[in-house]
Amino acid sequence: MSEPAITPELVAKHNLTPEEYQKILGILGRPPGYTELGIFSVMWSEHCSYKNTRPVLKTFPTKGAGILVGAGEENAGIIDVGDGIAIAFKIESHNHPSAVEPFQGAATGVGGIIRDIFTMGARPVAAMNSLRFGELSNPAVRRLFSGVVSGIAHYGNCFGIPTIAGEVYFDPSYEGNPLVNAFALGVLRHDQITRGAAKGVGNPVFYVGPATGRDGLAGAAFASQDLTEESSEQQRGAVQVGDPFMEKLVCEACLELLATGAVAGMQDMGAAGLTCSTCETAARAGTGIEIELDRVPQRAPNMSSYEIMLSESQERMLIVVHKGREDEVKRVFDKWDLPWSEIGWVTDTGRMVVRHGGQVVVDLPAKKLTDEAPVYFREMREAAYMEGVRAFRLDGVADTRDALADLKKLLSDHTISSKNWVYRQYDHMVRDGSVICPGSDAAVIRIKGDSLPVLPVGHPAQGQPVPDKYVAMTVDCNGAYVYLDPYEGGKAAVTEACRNLACSGAAPLGVTDNLNFGNPFNPEIFWQLRESVRGLADACIAFHTPVTGGNCSLYNQRGALGSIDPTPTVGVVGLIERPEHITTQWFKDEGDVILLLGEPVDGNDPLLGLGGSAYLRVAHGLKTGLPPRCDLEAAPVLHTTLIGLIREGVVKGAHDCSEGGLAVCLAESAFSELIAKDTPRFLGATVDLSEIPCARLDALLFGETQNRVVITVSPTNAGRVLKQAVAMGVPARRLGVVGGSDLVVKTVSGEFRSDLASLHDGWWNSIARAME
């Protein structure tokens, strides 16, 4: 098959700048071939190289006592959880594919992140997701939303992994560019960690999994350019097609093979497919790799070298095998009825060499593709809109005239309302390790004996009991906060996630991040990125939670619709020491005392916690004002105090105050427990806020002042808890008592009361009604 001539137009079509092409010429000392140009295009794309974000990412804290595999080392980070057991976890985006083909885009996003886990030698045991869409009043958004949720459910349910937590936000900024961030967590022993390196000169290289097709061509490059109507249509073929049943077989076969000791290195074929897996494994090991494309199983006839190397067909793995142990590989994969092929070998040349049809079609230095991609320091400029954001005051905003009506509006808002329409489509109980399912501040899973990968014959741990571990996890980011103040918004994302873990009884271990932003060539967008990362990093340092890895997704904008709100999503994982420390957000018993840990209102904030709040948006149609500040000295003290009280056994329930403020927090505590399918348990409360000084009722009820948690304790422990909190330097006060079937709130302006069934109806059914 004849290849096209390399022209400036072809170079530009591959998203390579003239300067980058000149660098390629300097590396090779000759013009690249067509396939080589495609390889440089995907490997030097933002998705694979982080060429625009690498300098910023280096500011993250990545070291910690429990880190076994750190950020940037491998496909996922790994953290010790004690007793020789570790967890591997990561979050990654599939935004552009999901905008073009929502079902397959989301499904293969789940498949890709699961492969990142088991390629490390870990058994995947839990999944989460973070989703962003436009308003559900738009039929196009409803189609995307439905397709994405269906795709996530399809892949996770069929593979057999519980989708146990997540978040969904709705905002016009995501109208043309939804965000689909997928998280997975796996479990393994310390001595089961597998590296993605092509070690051992002369070792054979195996291809395992279904045949390569033309689906997913240059998907990494597609993810590294602006999304337009034209590019969406042209790149529909860049969306992969997933087969979760095949992935389950590949996962089990790979874990079984790893137990034989025959594997020298393993890497999934994710972004950039065969290209990325070959050059990255060679670069990590400081070796070379040579493969024969005629040996690669192919789904379509007459596939070109370009198509085979750049295809992102799913469920494929590259495995480097110790020489002489090939028969063990063949036996395992034949047992699982999986296609395999020995396609190459490890060399000592430091080069990635590809042969096709008896000819060398690629001969490139592996490290130049991976470690020496161009790095840019983009121009930064504070966003022009920030002047108006800083100047905003509440003078022209009327205080609430009907607090109950405003509370009902907030509870029915799609961002705040229950996400049961989403998670009822997910199997969140498979594998029987789920302890806290979707619906509380954080999810909790139990790691038990059958969570771990199979052991080699004769391993000293064979037959030994495995101590249970309780791992909590959550994902968080308030994009409006980050838009209105990138630094404070970044701090708040990590802080809220850690607060959610504390409310579940967990101390945080580590963070994985997914940085979703617009075009980095825009100085204002890059300023948002830099400032939000600064906030994330400062918060991670404050909570001693190293960043173990993640993903950057730039170019999230669509034509005249403009850029998305900057959305640096974080997944935070924590450990709960004992099962009796596991805590949920809902009220437990009649007569329990409701306490507030933290200041009711930040008096030093001129907007009293209403800047960027859900209340301003829902009640007044405003998205402006500096968001509430996040005190990184006070927050860790609050969390440590709360976890200490939980471990003492005096806290019955704990719920984080976030979107919608104190009133929404109280309402959710009263009706968010499910005791059976679609059967909530209503347990009301009488709360007295009349003694709390505050100039505005809306700020008291709906302000989003940071570092606040509502807890419930037995009457006999209330006084003790208040004293302990104050002794620790945490403001604390009594709010009221649990009991009855109504939520009663007393303020200086009077009292409002609502039956819980009425409040619950709007909160529980809002999304379902919009999707009818």
Side-chain angles (χ1 to χ4, degrees):
M1 184 181 293
S2 61
E3 293 188 339
I6 307 300
T7 64
E9 291 76 20
L10 188 63
V11 171
K13 189 176 179 181
H14 280 77
N15 290 326
L16 292 165
T17 66
E19 294 77 18
E20 288 171 343
Y21 183 67
Q22 289 302 311
K23 183 172 182 175
I24 292 170
L25 294 178
I27 290 171
L28 299 181
R30 59 174 173 80
Y34 179 54
T35 304
E36 291 176 326
L37 182 71
I39 287 172
F40 271 106
S41 170
V42 293
M43 291 307 300
W44 284 9
S45 68
E46 177 64 32
H47 190 81
C48 291
S49 74
Y50 301 133
K51 60 187 177 184
N52 293 298
T53 51
R54 193 173 294 185
V56 180
L57 298 179
K58 287 182 178 179
T59 64
F60 278 134
T62 57
K63 305 298 182 184
I67 299 289
L68 301 178
V69 176
E73 293 182 37
E74 293 285 349
N75 295 281
I78 298 182
I79 290 184
D80 174 35
V81 293
D83 297 304
I85 299 171
I87 52 174
F89 59 94
K90 187 184 180 185
I91 192 169
E92 199 162 69
S93 63
H94 235 220
N95 302 338
H96 283 188
S98 300
V100 175
E101 291 285 356
F103 181 89
Q104 288 295 351
T108 51
V110 175
I113 199 65
I114 290 174
R115 283 196 304 281
D116 279 340
I117 299 304
F118 72 74
T119 195
M120 300 297 301
R123 176 174 295 283
V125 295
M128 299 190 292
N129 52 72
S130 173
L131 311 177
R132 301 290 191 282
F133 298 92
E135 300 287 357
L136 288 180
S137 55
N138 184 335
V141 172
R142 293 198 297 273
R143 180 186 65 83
L144 288 172
F145 182 43
S146 178
V148 163
V149 172
S150 295
I152 292 170
H154 167 72
Y155 209 100
N157 295 355
C158 294
F159 180 87
I161 187 171
T163 303
I164 197 168
E167 61 171 3
V168 190
Y169 279 71
F170 300 90
D171 187 274
S173 78
Y174 306 106
E175 193 84 18
N177 198 128
L179 301 185
V180 178
N181 296 174
F183 169 103
L185 179 141
V187 186
L188 73 170
R189 294 175 178 85
H190 292 190
D191 58 3
Q192 292 178 310
I193 296 173
T194 303
R195 300 283 182 167
K199 296 178 180 177
V201 173
N203 279 341
V205 175
F206 276 74
Y207 169 116
V208 178
T212 296
R214 292 189 172 98
D215 55 315
L217 273 177
F222 171 48
S224 304
Q225 58 182 289
D226 285 352
L227 189 64
T228 64
E229 294 298 333
E230 183 181 7
S231 73
S232 295
E233 198 54 44
Q234 289 175 348
Q235 296 292 344
R236 200 166 293 277
V239 180
Q240 309 93 330
V241 177
D243 182 347
F245 298 109
M246 177 66 76
E247 178 132 321
K248 178 63 173 175
L249 296 177
V250 172
C251 175
E252 295 300 333
C254 286
L255 294 179
E256 181 176 325
L257 180 64
L258 288 171
T260 68
V263 175
M266 186 164 70
Q267 173 84 354
D268 75 301
M269 297 187 205
L274 194 53
T275 288
C276 194
S277 58
T278 48
C279 67
E280 280 192 353
T281 52
R284 286 195 189 114
T287 60
I289 194 165
E290 191 161 331
I291 63 171
E292 299 268 3
L293 295 189
D294 293 320
R295 300 183 186 178
V296 173
Q298 296 164 45
R299 199 163 64 234
N302 303 317
M303 288 185 69
S304 67
S305 308
Y306 184 100
E307 291 171 330
I308 298 170
M309 289 301 296
L310 270 66
S311 167
E312 293 185 10
S313 294
Q314 297 289 285
E315 292 88 37
R316 302 176 301 158
M317 304 291 288
L318 190 81
I319 302 178
V320 180
V321 177
H322 291 297
K323 192 171 181 60
R325 305 191 67 175
E326 295 89 342
D327 286 345
E328 293 174 73
V329 178
K330 298 170 185 178
R331 175 184 59 79
V332 169
F333 287 106
D334 283 345
K335 169 191 167 182
W336 289 94
D337 198 22
L338 285 169
W340 58 265
S341 178
E342 187 177 335
I343 65 169
W345 57 95
V346 179
T347 69
D348 61 0
T349 65
R351 303 185 73 82
M352 169 190 179
V353 177
V354 180
R355 300 178 184 274
H356 194 196
Q359 297 181 335
V360 174
V361 293
V362 173
D363 186 354
L364 302 173
K367 276 192 174 292
K368 297 289 184 182
L369 288 167
T370 57
D371 301 346
E372 299 181 37
V375 176
Y376 299 109
F377 297 83
R378 294 295 177 200
E379 179 188 351
M380 292 178 287
R381 182 177 64 247
E382 181 178 281
Y385 63 78
M386 285 301 299
E387 183 177 352
V389 169
R390 289 196 184 95
F392 176 76
R393 291 294 180 267
L394 296 170
D395 302 345
V397 179
D399 200 344
T400 179
R401 293 185 176 88
D402 188 338
L404 179 57
D406 286 334
L407 175 59
K408 289 183 175 180
K409 285 180 186 176
L410 282 166
L411 290 171
S412 298
D413 178 66
H414 296 146
T415 292
I416 291 177
S417 66
S418 169
K419 305 305 182 295
N420 71 88
W421 184 90
V422 176
Y423 65 71
R424 73 186 183 197
Q425 300 182 51
Y426 303 154
D427 187 338
H428 43 265
M429 295 296 290
V430 64
R431 298 194 58 81
D432 195 30
S434 305
V435 180
I436 299 181
C437 295
S440 194
D441 279 313
V444 178
I445 62 164
R446 176 170 66 104
I447 296 171
K448 44 195 172 56
D450 67 358
S451 302
L452 292 157
V454 62
L455 284 169
V457 175
H459 191 282
Q462 193 76 256
Q464 296 298 312
V466 176
D468 286 350
K469 300 289 180 181
Y470 295 89
V471 174
M473 63 196 78
T474 188
V475 282
D476 270 299
C477 181
N478 186 321
Y481 281 6
V482 185
Y483 171 76
L484 296 169
D485 188 334
Y487 176 67
E488 286 293 336
K491 286 163 57 180
V494 175
T495 302
E496 183 178 346
C498 290
R499 194 162 62 243
N500 285 335
L501 292 188
C503 287
S504 71
L509 293 174
V511 172
T512 179
D513 63 81
N514 204 143
L515 306 180
N516 305 277
F517 289 84
N519 192 320
F521 287 84
N522 182 333
E524 295 189 354
I525 298 294
F526 202 75
W527 172 79
Q528 292 176 339
L529 172 62
R530 195 277 309 269
E531 284 297 289
S532 64
V533 167
R534 187 167 68 91
L536 294 175
D538 283 355
C540 288
I541 292 169
F543 292 105
H544 306 291
T545 50
V547 175
T548 64
N551 172 243
C552 291
S553 175
L554 308 185
Y555 304 95
N556 288 293
Q557 52 193 67
R558 191 157 189 164
L561 294 173
S563 174
I564 63 163
D565 279 354
T567 312
T569 302
V570 294
V572 185
V573 174
L575 192 64
I576 301 174
E577 287 187 347
R578 301 172 63 87
E580 57 265 32
H581 299 161
I582 297 170
T583 309
T584 51
Q585 71 183 34
W586 36 83
F587 295 149
K588 300 301 186 296
D589 298 300
E590 296 259 359
D592 284 346
V593 176
I594 305 168
L595 305 179
L596 176 68
L597 302 183
E599 292 287 1
V601 180
D602 182 358
N604 294 318
D605 177 1
L607 302 182
L608 303 175
L610 288 174
S613 67
Y615 171 76
L616 274 191
R617 174 175 54 81
V618 171
H620 298 282
L622 296 172
K623 186 165 85 174
T624 188
L626 290 174
R629 65 189 183 94
C630 186
D631 186 338
L632 291 181
E633 291 185 5
V637 176
L638 168 67
H639 299 185
T640 302
T641 301
L642 174 58
I643 293 171
L645 291 169
I646 288 173
R647 289 174 180 173
E648 287 182 30
V650 296
V651 175
K652 290 189 172 185
H655 189 16
D656 156 48
C657 277
S658 55
E659 285 94 342
L662 183 58
V664 166
C665 177
L666 291 167
E668 289 176 340
S669 301
F671 56 52
S672 57
E673 181 183 12
L674 278 181
I675 56 176
K677 184 178 184 294
D678 295 334
T679 307
R681 179 187 183 220
F682 295 154
L683 189 54
T686 299
V687 174
D688 188 350
L689 308 179
S690 61
E691 299 297 319
I692 299 176
C694 185
R696 296 180 62 108
L697 181 59
D698 52 7
L700 177 62
L701 294 173
F702 310 121
E704 296 173 9
T705 292
Q706 296 291 289
N707 299 339
R708 298 181 301 165
V709 174
V710 168
I711 66 172
T712 51
V713 300
S714 68
T716 54
N717 287 323
R720 169 189 166 193
V721 169
L722 286 170
K723 288 180 181 178
Q724 282 187 241
V726 173
M728 290 293 294
V730 175
R733 65 171 61 231
R734 179 186 175 114
L735 295 183
V737 180
V738 174
S741 58
D742 293 346
L743 178 63
V744 182
V745 180
K746 300 175 183 178
T747 71
V748 291
S749 303
E751 174 185 300
F752 70 85
R753 168 191 301 264
S754 178
D755 66 290
L756 295 180
S758 173
L759 291 176
H760 179 269
D761 177 67
W763 177 79
W764 182 258
N765 295 308
S766 180
I767 291 178
R769 286 170 180 151
M771 295 301 291
E772 288 175 352

